[in-house]
Amino acid sequence: MALSPVFQIVSFDEVPGWSRDHHAAAYAAFRRSAFHVLSKPYRTGALGVEFSAFADAYADARACEGGDAKAFFQRHFVPARIIPDDRPSGFVTGFYEPEVEASPVRTDRFSVPLLARPADLVDVDDANRPAGMDPYLAFARQAPQGLVEYFDRRAIEQGALAGQGLEIAWLADPVDAFFVHVQGAARLLMTDGSLRRVTYAAKTGQRFTGPGGVLAELGEIPLEKVTMQSIRAWFKANAHRVNEILWRNRSYIFFREAAVEEAELGPIAAAKVPLTPGRSIAVDRLLHTFGTPFFIDAPTLTAFDGAPFRRLMIAQDTGSAITGPARGDLFAGSGFAAGEIAGVVRNAADFFALLPRGLASGAVS
C-alpha cells in the first residue's frame, strides 16, 4: 500500500516543542501497544502506515522498560506533518472517563439504566446488509422478518428493551447517563462503596447528533460557546426539555463491565490497551494505524497544564465523530477534573505523525 501524500516529511527540529516534551510518558503508552500486538496485530489504515513497519520499534520497546525515550522515538521514527485537504490546520477535542454514582438495583433515586448488549443486536456489513438498509448502519436487529434497523434512543428509553435483564447499573441523572454514552466508558462509584467500570460494547448504529449542535441550531447557546459545561448548565436550567434535546440523538450505546486494574489509567479502548491520561489520542481508525505516535501542536490549548499543548500522543482509540487525517480526540483522564479539561477542548492543531523509518522514504519531503 502506498503512503498517502498527506504526509510531508520534516525534521525533529521543525516539530514545535519536541525537545521539551516528557517523552517517557508517551513511551509508556506506546509500550502497552507493543505488548498487545503480540496477540493481535493492528489493522493498517487507508493512509498507508503499514502495521508491519512498526515491528522493530515494538520489539525494542518490549525489550526495554526505561531508557532514553526521546532517543527511542528519534531512532525508530521520522516526523511527517499532516496536510489536511479541507482546512489550514487540524482540530482536536477532548474526552474523558466520567465518574458517577450508581446503584446495582433500581431505586427511586437511581432510575436511569446503563444497558448491556441485547441478544438481538447483530453486526452488519456488506455481506449481510439487507437491500435498502442505510449503508451507514453497522448494527441491526434480528426480527422475524429478517434484519431491520435497531430501536433508537427514544424507543429504548421509553421501554423497548424492558424486561430483558440488560441493566448493568442504575444512575440518578439522565444527563450523566448521556455523557457516559458520549464518552463510551465510566467509573461507577457504587452505593455499597465498591468501584466498577463499564466500557463500550456496541451501539444501535444510528448517526450521532450532539446536543451542542442542536442547542446552537435552536439558538439556545452560541456555537462558539458550546462546551460540555455550557450544555450541562443549559440542561440544569431547562430540565423539562432534556428528552426533547437528547432524543434528537438517535444513537444509543450498550456497555460491558471491565476491570479497574490500574486506577491511574483509563479504560481499555479500541486499540485494546488502557488509555493513558494526556498521552492517548483517538483518531480516525479507517485512515490511521493504531499505535502510531502523533505529536500534537495546539498552542491555543492550555487547559491541560496551563501551557500551550505540545505533546507526543499515541493513537489508541477512535470515535464516530473523529474523521479526517488531522482530527483527534485527546484523552484527559478520569473523574471530574478530567471532565473539566476535556469539556473545553476545541482547538486548532498541527499534527505530526511519527512514521517508521522504513516507510519515510515514501513520504513527501
Side-chain angles (χ1 to χ4, degrees):
M1 179 185 295
L3 195 63
S4 170
V6 303
F7 298 114
Q8 184 179 67
I9 292 292
V10 297
S11 70
F12 279 103
D13 289 340
E14 295 175 272
V15 179
W18 168 258
S19 62
R20 295 187 296 276
D21 191 25
H22 181 50
H23 304 85
Y27 179 77
F30 181 83
R31 195 165 183 263
R32 293 185 185 95
S33 283
F35 281 100
H36 168 74
V37 299
L38 290 173
S39 59
K40 188 172 182 180
Y42 293 138
R43 180 184 56 79
T44 296
L47 296 181
V49 180
E50 294 282 354
F51 166 76
S52 60
F54 289 84
D56 289 347
Y58 279 148
D60 197 358
R62 288 191 295 268
C64 184
E65 184 173 356
D68 187 335
K70 176 184 173 185
F72 167 86
F73 287 111
Q74 292 183 169
R75 182 166 65 251
H76 287 287
F77 297 96
V78 174
R81 182 171 182 168
I82 297 178
I83 309 298
D85 294 331
D86 57 345
R87 57 174 69 193
S89 67
F91 187 70
V92 291
T93 49
F95 72 113
Y96 76 113
E97 182 186 36
E99 282 187 353
V100 292
E101 288 186 275
S103 170
V105 296
R106 180 169 184 162
T107 69
D108 288 342
R109 179 186 174 200
F110 295 97
S111 60
V112 183
L114 299 178
L115 300 182
R117 177 174 179 152
D120 61 357
L121 184 70
V122 178
D123 291 55
V124 174
D125 56 25
D126 291 341
N128 65 343
R129 187 186 312 279
M133 178 175 280
D134 185 346
Y136 177 86
L137 296 176
F139 296 91
R141 180 167 62 91
Q142 184 66 61
Q145 68 271 33
L147 295 178
V148 298
E149 182 177 338
Y150 209 81
F151 301 120
D152 67 3
R153 174 175 296 276
R154 179 172 184 165
I156 292 170
E157 293 188 350
Q158 290 182 325
L161 300 179
Q164 297 187 31
L166 300 174
E167 296 84 2
I168 296 175
W170 299 84
L171 307 188
D173 184 351
V175 175
D176 281 345
F178 181 82
F179 279 103
V180 170
H181 281 230
V182 171
Q183 303 302 326
R187 296 190 192 196
L188 305 182
L189 308 176
M190 304 302 294
T191 51
D192 64 4
S194 64
L195 177 65
R196 293 164 61 184
R197 170 178 271 156
V198 292
T199 190
Y200 170 90
K203 58 185 177 180
T204 56
Q206 294 92 352
R207 289 167 176 80
F208 175 82
T209 302
V214 173
L215 292 171
E217 176 189 319
L218 295 175
E220 299 289 341
I221 304 177
L223 183 59
E224 67 275 11
K225 294 187 178 180
V226 169
T227 64
M228 184 179 71
Q229 289 86 338
S230 66
I231 294 169
R232 280 186 174 276
W234 190 92
F235 281 136
K236 186 175 182 179
N238 298 273
H240 62 290
R241 297 183 64 186
V242 168
N243 285 342
E244 171 199 339
I245 303 302
L246 295 189
W247 286 349
R248 292 276 292 269
N249 175 42
R250 300 183 64 222
S251 177
Y252 189 92
I253 305 298
F254 301 106
F255 297 91
R256 61 178 176 83
E257 290 200 60
V260 186
E261 295 177 350
E262 298 181 75
E264 72 276 10
L265 297 178
I268 293 175
K272 306 305 180 186
V273 296
L275 298 177
T276 302
R279 293 294 169 174
S280 293
I281 185 171
V283 297
D284 187 336
R285 71 179 305 173
L286 297 179
L287 299 179
H288 293 298
T289 304
F290 281 155
T292 301
F294 287 89
F295 195 90
I296 305 300
D297 175 27
T300 64
L301 171 57
T302 59
F304 276 78
D305 58 9
F309 190 94
R310 293 187 168 105
R311 290 191 190 183
L312 185 60
M313 312 286 286
I314 310 299
Q316 293 176 321
D317 202 4
T318 191
S320 58
I322 310 303
T323 59
R327 175 72 175 89
D329 210 11
L330 311 175
F331 180 62
S334 304
F336 178 81
E340 289 295 289
I341 294 171
V344 299
V345 179
R346 291 179 58 84
N347 296 79
D350 286 330
F351 281 60
F352 296 86
L354 268 59
L355 304 178
R357 285 195 172 273
L359 289 177
S361 59
V364 177
S365 58

